[in-house]
Amino acid sequence: MSADGWSSVLVLGGIRSGKSAFAEALVAGAPSVRYVATAAGGEDDPEWRGRIEAHQRRRPQSWTTEETGADPGRLAAVLAEAKPDETLLVDDLGGWVATLLDPANQPNDDVATVTALAEAVRACAARVVLVSPEVGLSLVPATPVGRAFADALGTANQALAAACDRVAFVVAGRPTWLKAGADEAGIVTDVEAEQGTAPQPVGAAPQARVTAAAAAAPLTASTEPSAAFAEVDPGTVIEAGMDLPLPDSDAGPDARDRLERVDLPGAGIGVLLEAVEFAAGTQGTATPRPWGPVRVLLLDGRHAGGAAAGADPAESDRRAAEAETGEGPLARLAATADADITVVRVPASGAMEDGPVLDEAAVDAGLRQGWELAGAAAADGREALVIGACGTGTDAVATAVIAATTGAEPVAILPRVLVPGARYDDEAWMRRCAAVRDAMHRIRQEPRGAKDILAQLGGADLAVATGALLGAAARRMPVLLDGPLGIAAGLVARDLASQSRHWCLLADAGRHQLVRQGADVLGLTPVLELGLDLGEGANALVALPLLRSAIALAGALPVHPVLLAAPGDAGLSDEDASFAEPEPHGPGPASA
């Protein structure tokens, strides 16, 4: 068993319960993951293929995939062959049982096959997370085939639950730990969670659970910063499989639960709950504070070739100069949002349709520069980053990167070319399309690791943005993504360190399909639907005061007085009554 208490986990849940996403989060910190896909067939079912493709898009580029396909015995062999330094994610056992029951694999001793799989899990040298559907909560199936499947899957789930160190049950995206250790069963209590017996994700730092009483405590005004950023080794090597911290997985749900009990006259804060949960997770508390000073990194990069068709370099120079002198829309918004702007001018990048846009040394230099910019922001007391861009050719480059990493169709996501006078230059758009098309054709046989993508397509500005995201995640600093370059950087950063996406928030998707497509793959839901198109960085600054207000309100409001009544009063449960106000001068026993 590993040092943090588990080597094998079984994750159960119903259809669309969030079980796969939860299992992926458990292994997010592993340097590399072997994804074992059990589904067989379905090539003629578009809806089924769509589900599989959605799973594929979520997986980082650093993961490898192995399909056990039509051979149910192959899964046990994969587990037996796994090495101690590997991490395996098996998704899911429903597909495996369906293959087991396939008439082509009969007659067969199904019980013996299940037993062999359970023994393989017990003996597996690698870490393994298995996902399985829980079908025992519905009606008994009406058909013999359905009953056989339910019976076989139930038998498999019981055998594997006994074999695994931990068992989780996921409902509506919320996990409950059914098995706390190899020799004990039962729901994990708050006490067990505080003592550290509940499993932590691979590579995650120990996390403190916020109990109900603590979650009820309001925040008083304070001049202290809302986040203490982690110390980072200056010699950190930026490479695929980096091990970065994750936000607190309990604080966000605890903040949401607390909001159900606070003293609000209405039904709640609506879509802004997404921002509150994000702030709670990144700060590790159910009562988060609004972010203090923010730094905008405005990247000014130049891309040669068709990517820059229709763009005027002089316009980019003017926008960057305005930001430095406190003029223009970005600077005005920054002044009202307690933000400062750092203009980052990077070396020019080549034409992606002609060959690599950067060499290996330039990629590493850009990543390092971004990493250090995040460190400088933390050292200067900034509590969040906003990624923006004002260069030429960035939209086409971001399109190429997103197409290469997600399989999106470039023509469907490339933004139109807007020129002064509020008109569109469709000829320039077609030239950009051609550049992206030619670049995608050129790299069709090339490796598509994160650094390969930066060298072949991304350029210096995207490398710096990616390094900044990684540096922020390493320091537990939240990042507000805004626009094509930020989303593209998020995808590249994910393939270097999968934890990085959990430190990113998308305040508004704007009008770009490119942003929505990339955000969907990153698992980011826009907090707001404002439809802004003010330029990269400016959209986030417009939304920032509203996000701060929601976070401040959620963290500072007390529990509703009715919920402070004695247990049994006003029809309240003991659990409701436990959300009591603390004494005004510090934490202590709650009193009604």
Side-chain angles (χ1 to χ4, degrees):
M1 185 175 294
S2 64
D4 53 0
W6 67 271
S7 293
S8 56
V9 175
L10 174 64
V11 179
L12 300 169
I15 298 171
R16 298 294 193 187
S17 63
K19 60 184 182 297
S20 292
F22 176 70
E24 290 165 9
L26 282 177
V27 300
S32 63
V33 174
R34 182 153 42 130
Y35 185 97
V36 183
T38 62
E43 292 80 3
D44 299 328
D45 185 342
E47 191 273 339
W48 181 249
R49 288 302 310 168
R51 287 175 179 245
I52 292 176
E53 289 168 1
H55 278 253
Q56 291 171 339
R57 287 195 299 269
R58 284 207 309 258
R59 299 174 208 161
Q61 292 267 331
S62 59
W63 290 17
T64 60
T65 300
E66 181 161 346
E67 297 185 2
T68 58
D71 180 9
R74 175 61 186 153
L75 180 55
V78 169
L79 295 172
E81 296 164 1
K83 302 296 189 293
D85 59 348
E86 287 189 283
T87 299
L88 273 61
L89 173 57
V90 180
D91 194 358
D92 72 7
L93 292 177
W96 181 80
V97 168
T99 302
L100 182 64
L101 298 179
D102 191 309
N105 294 316
Q106 299 296 327
N108 181 61
D109 188 344
D110 298 340
V111 174
T113 305
V114 169
T115 301
L117 179 61
E119 290 302 320
V121 170
R122 285 192 178 93
C124 184
R127 279 194 161 196
V128 58
V129 175
L130 303 107
V131 181
S132 185
E134 175 52 65
V135 295
L137 301 179
S138 61
L139 297 174
V140 175
T143 65
V145 172
R147 290 192 292 272
F149 176 79
D151 290 346
L153 186 59
T155 299
N157 286 346
Q158 291 186 51
L160 289 165
C164 288
D165 302 325
R166 303 284 189 267
V167 179
F169 183 47
V170 182
V171 180
R174 302 295 304 275
T176 296
W177 289 100
L178 304 179
K179 184 176 181 182
D183 300 320
E184 59 177 335
I187 302 295
V188 176
T189 65
D190 282 344
V191 172
E192 290 168 329
E194 288 168 359
Q195 291 173 344
T197 57
Q200 297 290 337
V202 179
Q207 298 174 348
R209 180 173 176 81
V210 181
T211 61
L219 283 179
T220 56
S222 173
T223 58
E224 296 180 2
S226 63
F229 297 122
E231 293 292 331
V232 174
D233 182 359
T236 300
V237 177
I238 303 175
E239 60 185 0
M242 294 178 69
D243 188 11
L244 300 181
L246 282 165
D248 189 321
S249 60
D250 291 322
D254 285 343
R256 180 175 61 224
D257 293 344
R258 181 180 182 278
L259 277 173
E260 296 176 0
R261 296 168 170 82
V262 299
D263 189 10
L264 280 171
I269 61 174
V271 296
L272 295 171
L273 177 60
E274 182 84 14
V276 173
E277 288 195 54
F278 175 78
T282 54
Q283 294 176 29
T285 173
T287 52
R289 298 179 181 180
W291 302 297
V294 170
R295 173 154 297 169
V296 179
L297 295 181
L298 184 63
L299 299 165
D300 183 9
R302 309 301 165 90
H303 296 266
D312 182 1
E315 180 72 3
S316 296
D317 290 336
R318 184 174 69 85
R319 295 294 183 193
E322 284 181 344
E324 289 178 317
T325 58
E327 301 172 348
L330 187 66
R332 292 178 183 275
L333 289 169
T336 63
D338 192 17
D340 65 9
I341 302 173
T342 297
V343 175
V344 184
R345 292 181 173 84
V346 300
S349 303
M352 60 181 171
E353 63 268 38
D354 295 337
V357 298
L358 290 179
D359 60 27
E360 182 178 347
V363 168
D364 288 336
L367 290 169
R368 178 58 58 184
Q369 182 181 2
W371 179 277
E372 292 173 353
L373 285 168
D380 291 343
R382 305 302 161 192
E383 297 184 7
L385 284 182
V386 174
I387 303 295
C390 67
T392 59
T394 54
D395 283 358
V397 165
T399 298
V401 169
I402 291 175
T405 54
T406 71
E409 178 57 48
V411 174
I413 62 174
L414 177 64
R416 295 181 71 185
V417 180
L418 182 66
V419 296
R423 66 180 184 86
Y424 291 101
D425 186 342
D426 289 334
E427 181 182 350
W429 179 84
M430 288 188 286
R431 290 164 59 196
R432 293 186 185 188
C433 278
V436 174
R437 177 203 63 201
D438 293 346
M440 297 296 292
H441 180 75
R442 180 180 60 79
I443 69 166
R444 66 192 184 282
Q445 301 295 333
E446 298 291 337
R448 296 200 181 183
K451 290 189 177 182
D452 301 312
I453 291 294
L454 291 174
Q456 296 288 349
L457 304 172
D461 48 359
L462 187 61
V464 172
T466 301
L469 290 181
L470 295 170
R475 295 167 175 85
R476 300 179 176 270
M477 175 186 285
V479 180
L480 275 65
L481 299 182
D482 184 7
L485 186 74
I487 289 293
L491 287 165
V492 178
R494 177 202 65 168
D495 291 340
L496 288 168
S498 58
Q499 306 92 337
S500 60
R501 66 186 179 91
H502 296 284
W503 296 95
C504 297
L505 182 73
L506 182 62
D508 179 55
R511 299 181 180 180
H512 294 311
Q513 181 60 32
L514 177 154
V515 173
R516 292 184 180 277
Q517 179 92 15
D520 182 61
V521 175
L522 284 171
L524 301 179
T525 301
V527 179
L528 304 169
E529 292 288 352
L530 300 177
L532 297 173
D533 192 9
L534 300 173
E536 292 199 44
N539 301 327
L541 292 181
V542 169
L544 185 56
L546 182 58
L547 303 184
R548 280 180 171 140
S549 296
I551 296 167
L553 194 66
L557 280 179
V559 173
H560 195 286
V562 171
L563 298 180
L564 299 181
D569 288 353
L572 298 178
S573 66
D574 291 346
E575 180 183 0
D576 288 330
S578 70
F579 279 76
E581 286 296 323
E583 295 297 325
H585 299 294
S591 59

